[in-house]
Amino acid sequence: MLHRIEFQTPVTHEKIATILRTVDILVLPSLDKPDWREQFGHVLIEAMASKVCVVGSNAGEIPNVIADAGVIFQQGNELALYEALH
């Protein structure tokens, strides 16, 4: 089995669909900050529409966007992310 992780730099909106067709899992590991929280995580709905498995932290609105369509893990907890991916 080939194990490969790719960290994607920011891309234009027009390229998102092309990239999503090449992935198996999309992870959105956002962290709440005192002056910022994930408001929606638009890439999650784009991934779900492309039939990509989604894993997201419990930051901001991510749990509400993913609901029962993916896996939620405790933000900032690397072990929880590892377990969510397995």
Side-chain angles (χ1 to χ4, degrees):
M1 175 186 287
L2 176 65
H3 296 278
R4 184 180 62 132
I5 297 174
E6 180 178 332
F7 293 90
Q8 183 65 54
T9 57
V11 298
T12 63
H13 182 76
E14 294 77 22
K15 294 182 181 179
I16 294 293
T18 301
I19 291 170
L20 287 175
R21 284 192 290 271
T22 69
V23 301
D24 297 314
I25 301 171
L26 179 121
V27 178
L28 188 57
S30 294
L31 294 169
D32 288 333
K33 300 292 182 185
D35 60 342
W36 183 86
R37 291 186 69 185
E38 189 72 62
Q39 295 297 303
F40 187 73
H42 195 269
V43 70
L44 292 168
I45 62 168
E46 293 183 64
M48 290 186 282
S50 297
K51 299 183 180 176
V52 172
C53 296
V54 292
V55 175
S57 71
N58 65 338
E61 291 301 312
I62 292 172
N64 295 322
V65 174
I66 293 178
D68 62 354
V71 179
I72 306 296
F73 67 96
Q74 177 66 42
Q75 61 182 300
N77 185 329
E78 295 169 9
L79 180 58
L81 173 55
Y82 174 83
E83 290 171 349
L85 290 171
H86 281 86

